[in-house]
């Protein structure tokens, strides 16, 4: 069964360092998403991506964050200068259509980021 | 803005007990409603969904009915199993003034089932 894969599963970094989280969405999906979950808190929307551009982003997704689909298969989230409060589980997801069109989102297992 | 509120956990039940996890939402218009489940060590998976009022979503013995009059989407199962132990997330997308491209999640309810 097709699945969304994420790497790394866990990354530890020093404050101020750049981090890139990688995702391989399901191959025929058109919409891509990043969510995050700070320990014990809600799963929060970060950004959605369609047709090689951001379609929507939340207030969390500031200038320190960027997304890219560099080669038609990977979908990356970059944090330029990590802060302690960026420590969270980051989930990548993909879908055939938008979630509001009842399209199901398929999630990866998450990448845990720990900023020291 | 749109939001989802679900009962806090953890919820601990014995096998074969009846399960209810409450979920209410705030949204204008007609959002789509979802329950996602996260088993230990895995990503979020769609459990069931409902796209309009009075729709009932069902899967794996779980059910939830879209109640617009009470803005609720409570998750129920008549007889839980140890394998149902997981974190359950209520979620919505769409509605007026809200993009269809993102899902808003509740805080999650951890369910533990004792043998």
């Amino acid at each position: 069964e097709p699945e969304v894969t994420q790497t790394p599963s866990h990354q530890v970094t020093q404050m101020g360092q750049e981090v890139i989280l990688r995702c391989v969405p399901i191959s025929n999906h058109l919409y891509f998403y990043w969510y995050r979950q700070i320990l014990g808190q809600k799963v929060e929307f970060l950004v959605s991506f369609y047709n090689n551009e951001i379609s929507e982003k939340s207030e969390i997704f500031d200038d320190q964050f960027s997304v890219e689909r560099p080669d038609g298969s990977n979908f990356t989230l970059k944090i330029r200068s990590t802060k302690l409060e960026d420590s969270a589980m980051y989930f990548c997801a993909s879908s055939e259509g938008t979630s509001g069109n009842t399209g199901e989102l398929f999630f990866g297992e998450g990448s845990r980021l720990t900023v020291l | 803005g749109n939001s989802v509120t679900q009962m806090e956990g953890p919820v601990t039940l014995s096998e074969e007990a009846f399960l209810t996890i409450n979920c209410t939402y705030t949204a204008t218009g007609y959002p789509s409603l979802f329950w996602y489940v996260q088993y230990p060590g895995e990503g979020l998976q769609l459990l069931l969904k409902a796209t309009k009022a009075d729709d009932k979503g069902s899967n794996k013995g779980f059910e939830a009915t879209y109640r617009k009059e009470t803005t609720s989407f409570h998750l129920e199962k008549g007889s839980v199993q140890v394998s149902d132990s997981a974190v359950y997330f209520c979620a919505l997308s769409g509605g007026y003034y809200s993009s269809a491209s993102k899902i808003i999640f509740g805080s999650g309810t951890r369910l533990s089932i004792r043998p």
Side-chain angles (χ1 to χ4, degrees):
Chain A
E1 185 176 327
E3 60 180 14
V4 176
T5 57
Q6 291 186 238
T7 54
S9 56
H10 188 193
Q11 181 157 356
V12 181
T13 190
Q14 296 291 323
M15 192 168 55
Q17 295 296 303
E18 177 183 283
V19 161
I20 298 176
L21 305 178
R22 292 183 169 79
C23 170
V24 179
I26 294 172
S27 61
N28 64 333
H29 284 185
L30 302 177
Y31 294 81
F32 314 112
Y33 310 83
W34 283 101
Y35 287 78
R36 78 172 186 188
Q37 185 181 29
I38 296 171
L39 188 63
Q41 298 186 25
K42 290 188 176 188
V43 177
E44 300 172 294
F45 169 79
L46 292 179
V47 65
S48 59
F49 192 87
Y50 170 71
N51 199 27
N52 284 318
E53 61 182 24
I54 291 173
S55 52
E56 186 172 1
K57 61 183 180 179
S58 72
E59 58 275 10
I60 302 168
F61 195 88
D62 61 21
D63 291 344
Q64 293 300 310
F65 291 88
S66 62
V67 289
E68 195 177 33
R69 189 158 162 79
D71 56 14
S73 62
N74 290 284
F75 179 53
T76 62
L77 175 69
K78 181 193 288 186
I79 309 174
R80 288 189 183 81
S81 177
T82 51
K83 304 186 286 287
L84 294 176
E85 54 265 37
D86 293 328
S87 295
M89 180 73 89
Y90 289 80
F91 292 103
C92 175
S94 68
S95 69
E96 293 180 4
T98 63
S99 55
N101 290 335
T102 75
E104 176 179 351
L105 260 62
F106 291 79
F107 284 84
E109 293 184 3
S111 293
R112 181 169 296 285
L113 175 65
T114 302
V115 182
L116 303 177
Chain B
N2 293 351
S3 65
V4 175
T5 302
Q6 61 182 107
M7 65 188 289
E8 292 191 18
V11 173
T12 303
L13 296 172
S14 297
E15 205 165 22
E16 299 183 5
F18 184 86
L19 168 71
T20 301
I21 301 178
N22 289 338
C23 172
T24 56
Y25 68 90
T26 300
T28 54
Y30 301 92
S32 296
L33 301 175
F34 309 86
W35 278 99
Y36 276 80
V37 59
Q38 185 178 29
Y39 297 104
E42 299 184 16
L44 296 158
Q45 303 173 26
L46 179 66
L47 179 61
L48 53 83
K49 66 184 180 187
T51 59
K52 60 183 188 294
D54 300 324
D55 265 4
K56 178 186 284 188
S58 61
N59 186 27
K60 300 181 180 179
F62 290 89
E63 293 182 340
T65 301
Y66 189 141
R67 301 283 190 204
K68 188 159 178 65
E69 64 275 15
T70 54
T71 62
S72 65
F73 193 56
H74 304 321
L75 182 68
E76 296 182 336
K77 186 173 185 180
S79 176
V80 293
Q81 305 300 312
V82 172
S83 57
D84 294 326
S85 298
V87 181
Y88 292 82
F89 295 89
C90 186
L92 68 77
S93 73
Y96 299 155
Y97 314 121
S98 178
S99 166
S101 70
K102 68 181 183 185
I103 286 182
I104 296 171
F105 286 90
S107 55
T109 302
R110 182 175 298 279
L111 174 66
S112 296
I113 307 300
R114 293 188 299 255

